[in-house]
Amino acid sequence: RFHGEGYQEGYAEGSHVGVVEGRRYGSLHGAKIGSEIGCYLGFALTWQCLLQKCMDEKNSKKMRALASLIGMIQKFPYEDPTYDKLQEDLEKIRGKFKQVCSVLNIQSDFRISTERSSLTF
């Protein structure tokens, strides 16, 4: 009997601690992904505004790449943590961001640490 009661108490306590730890972990990593995607979107929108002032054939290729990145970010499922292709889509966005930086001839380095996040050019 004591063994059964001990098991039930331990299981209930472990479940509670697991939920709390999982929520904290999910919040932390969700915030990191949100920060990264937000930086990409801000970057793309800023460059799109800058390039609209002088449209030529050279800039049209840049604008198409930026529009593609913005479209990918806007389609990203922020509200659905159970989305099965979340990591795959995130990698596609990262790849498109690198491509946009290459087209714009900009070196980028996006790092996220526990202290602060930075995007340098």
Side-chain angles (χ1 to χ4, degrees):
R1 187 182 109 208
F2 292 118
H3 178 71
E5 288 175 7
Y7 174 81
Q8 291 299 326
E9 288 176 19
Y11 185 82
E13 179 66 22
S15 295
H16 175 71
V17 170
V19 167
V20 170
E21 186 177 329
R23 184 173 291 132
R24 184 177 22 193
Y25 182 82
S27 295
L28 175 67
H29 289 281
K32 286 180 181 181
I33 290 173
S35 175
E36 181 180 359
I37 296 292
C39 285
Y40 295 158
L41 183 59
F43 170 87
L45 291 172
T46 301
W47 272 100
Q48 192 176 46
C49 287
L50 291 171
L51 292 175
Q52 282 179 344
K53 294 179 181 177
C54 53
M55 281 300 295
D56 59 5
E57 189 171 325
K58 190 175 181 182
N59 284 343
S60 68
K61 181 178 179 181
K62 296 174 185 178
M63 289 293 283
R64 283 194 305 272
L66 286 165
S68 176
L69 176 60
I70 292 168
M72 291 172 76
I73 291 170
Q74 288 173 340
K75 291 177 187 172
F76 192 74
Y78 302 102
E79 293 85 23
D80 186 10
T82 61
Y83 179 62
D84 58 339
K85 294 184 179 182
L86 188 117
Q87 290 297 325
E88 183 180 317
D89 286 354
L90 185 58
E91 288 300 319
K92 286 179 183 178
I93 290 172
R94 288 175 179 150
K96 180 58 78 172
F97 175 72
K98 289 178 184 177
Q99 179 189 14
V100 166
C101 288
S102 176
V103 168
L104 293 171
N105 199 22
I106 296 173
Q107 286 207 333
S108 70
D109 181 20
F110 187 79
R111 290 178 308 256
I112 293 186
S113 65
T114 55
E115 298 162 10
R116 64 183 182 95
S117 63
S118 64
L119 181 64
T120 59
F121 302 96

